[in-house]
Amino acid sequence: MNKFVISVDIGGTNIRTGLVDIEGSGSNISSISTLPEKGIENAAERLSELIQETINNMIPKSEEITNYITGIGISSAGPINPLDGKYNFPPNLPTWHNKSLIPIIKKNFHPLPVMIGHDATLAALAETSLGENKNIKNLIYITISTGVGGGIIADGKMITGTTGQAGEMGHILVRSDGIKCNVGCKGCFEGNASGPAITKLAEKKYKNLSDKNSVGFSNFSPENIILNAKQGNAFAEEIVNDVIENISQGLSSILNIFEPEILVIGGSVAWGLEHRFNEIIKTVSHTALPRYRKNVPIKYTTLGEEVSILGAAQLIFKNTK
Ligand SMILES: [Zn+2]
């Protein structure tokens, strides 16, 4: 019979699990709050309960779990070492530095194999394993969301770096006079184009305004700024124009460095700016190297919000018999 992977996606806000088959069909998606401040052991035990529920719903008690489940694949926000699952100062998972949840999950679900990877790297793996970009050998995945992260597939292989932390393309410089990200680098992609960055850019601009009444709204969430810009609010439009410029600059540099066959984008900010995608392409065609003047190989993911969950499943399918 068709076996499944129990796939997990760990973000700063939510942990989601699902059952995924080798074709990339997902089901039984459930979610709990990450609550990173309660510590990694707490999160690992609550995640174990969620996984156990999924197993109980699917497998009759008398049956062997390994007849149904190939393994547990975990996608996580990073930076993280995929070999031992240890985090390295993860900005959105405070208190998890130098700790791993793999030993707890392995112990609770012995003998299932458990593997972990960086969410954007696994998104890139999903892109080259499923859907319209299947079998592409050189592909970059960029998520523009709460953070900006990247995954690299070169010559058909995941590029993970010396300790698994390659692909942090959120921290390339896009604006020398830009603001700092949570890690502390000034003018980087993440610091000037992520969701929190949109709010910070608006707050900075607002602080320097002489006529604050002219702004016309006070909720500076990224969604609300993008919405107000859509409705023609001048203050919001200026912020969003800057963000479009910053995103274009970041994507141009990434294209120049990797020359991928395709660069796939996803994440809440990228989707929120889908109506301005043509402008991003146009700007990239002028800021990237001349070979990109006529053809900018950037597309939205077609694998949906679950792209990292699908990648976590592929990690297991590709690395087990
Ligand atoms: Zn940075």
Side-chain angles (χ1 to χ4, degrees), residues 170-172 180-186 188-191:
H171 304 284
I172 57 171
K180 277 185 187 172
C181 72
N182 279 346
V183 180
C185 44
K186 187 174 183 296
C188 72
F189 195 167
E190 178 166 306

Side-chain angles (χ1 to χ4, degrees), residues 241-319:
N241 289 346
D242 282 352
V243 170
I244 296 279
E245 185 72 35
N246 298 341
I247 289 173
S248 305
Q249 198 63 56
L251 296 177
S252 295
S253 297
I254 293 164
L255 282 182
N256 291 346
I257 294 167
F258 293 101
E259 203 215 346
E261 191 174 331
I262 186 82
L263 188 160
V264 182
I265 59 171
S268 57
V269 172
W271 284 113
L273 295 172
E274 196 186 5
H275 60 295
R276 310 267 309 253
F277 184 58
N278 287 342
E279 277 169 77
I280 294 175
I281 294 296
K282 199 172 165 204
T283 309
V284 171
S285 74
H286 290 115
T287 49
L289 287 169
R291 65 173 177 266
Y292 294 113
R293 289 255 155 93
K294 288 209 177 85
N295 176 32
V296 175
I298 300 178
K299 289 197 281 196
Y300 276 92
T301 177
T302 55
L303 298 178
E305 281 177 41
E306 310 298 348
V307 60
S308 292
I309 285 231
L310 300 181
Q314 290 298 323
L315 182 68
I316 293 285
F317 285 127
K318 284 184 191 302
N319 293 289

Side-chain angles (χ1 to χ4, degrees), residues 129-147:
S129 308
L130 307 161
E132 63 180 37
N133 301 316
K134 190 174 173 176
N135 296 327
I136 283 185
K137 294 269 180 277
N138 293 286
L139 178 143
I140 302 287
Y141 183 91
I142 300 288
T143 174
I144 310 171
S145 182
T146 310

Side-chain angles (χ1 to χ4, degrees), residues 189-200:
F189 195 167
E190 178 166 306
N192 293 272
S194 63
I198 295 175
T199 301
K200 278 191 206 162

Side-chain angles (χ1 to χ4, degrees), residues 69-289:
I69 306 289
T70 307
I72 300 173
I74 305 174
S75 142
S76 178
I80 183 169
N81 183 337
L83 296 177
D84 57 13
K86 280 188 182 169
Y87 292 88
N88 194 336
F89 297 102
N92 299 314
L93 299 166
T95 80
W96 290 25
H97 171 62
N98 211 24
K99 293 178 178 167
S100 170
L101 40 73
I102 298 298
I104 297 176
I105 305 296
K106 271 193 171 159
K107 182 180 76 130
N108 289 345
F109 297 99
H110 181 81
L112 289 179
V114 180
M115 294 177 200
I116 196 162
H118 183 251
D119 48 11
T121 304
L122 294 183
L125 180 66
E127 287 290 339
T128 54
S129 308
L130 307 161
E132 63 180 37
N133 301 316
K134 190 174 173 176
N135 296 327
I136 283 185
K137 294 269 180 277
N138 293 286
L139 178 143
I140 302 287
Y141 183 91
I142 300 288
T143 174
I144 310 171
S145 182
T146 310
V148 174
I152 308 161
I153 304 284
D155 289 334
K157 295 196 180 80
M158 286 192 285
I159 301 298
T160 54
T162 307
T163 62
Q165 297 170 61
E168 293 290 344
M169 288 174 271
H171 304 284
I172 57 171
L173 182 76
V174 296
R175 200 171 192 120
S176 56
D177 63 346
I179 55 179
K180 277 185 187 172
C181 72
N182 279 346
V183 180
C185 44
K186 187 174 183 296
C188 72
F189 195 167
E190 178 166 306
N192 293 272
S194 63
I198 295 175
T199 301
K200 278 191 206 162
L201 287 167
E203 285 167 353
K204 188 181 169 198
K205 197 174 186 65
Y206 183 78
K207 214 171 122 193
N208 295 330
L209 275 184
S210 50
D211 178 15
K212 293 189 167 47
N213 290 327
S214 66
V215 172
F217 68 102
S218 57
N219 171 1
F220 288 170
S221 70
E223 299 81 15
N224 204 42
I225 290 166
I226 292 171
L227 179 69
N228 274 277
K230 259 187 190 170
Q231 293 166 346
N233 177 286
F235 173 82
E237 268 187 331
E238 276 184 44
I239 308 283
V240 172
N241 289 346
D242 282 352
V243 170
I244 296 279
E245 185 72 35
N246 298 341
I247 289 173
S248 305
Q249 198 63 56
L251 296 177
S252 295
S253 297
I254 293 164
L255 282 182
N256 291 346
I257 294 167
F258 293 101
E259 203 215 346
E261 191 174 331
I262 186 82
L263 188 160
V264 182
I265 59 171
S268 57
V269 172
W271 284 113
L273 295 172
E274 196 186 5
H275 60 295
R276 310 267 309 253
F277 184 58
N278 287 342
E279 277 169 77
I280 294 175
I281 294 296
K282 199 172 165 204
T283 309
V284 171
S285 74
H286 290 115
T287 49
L289 287 169

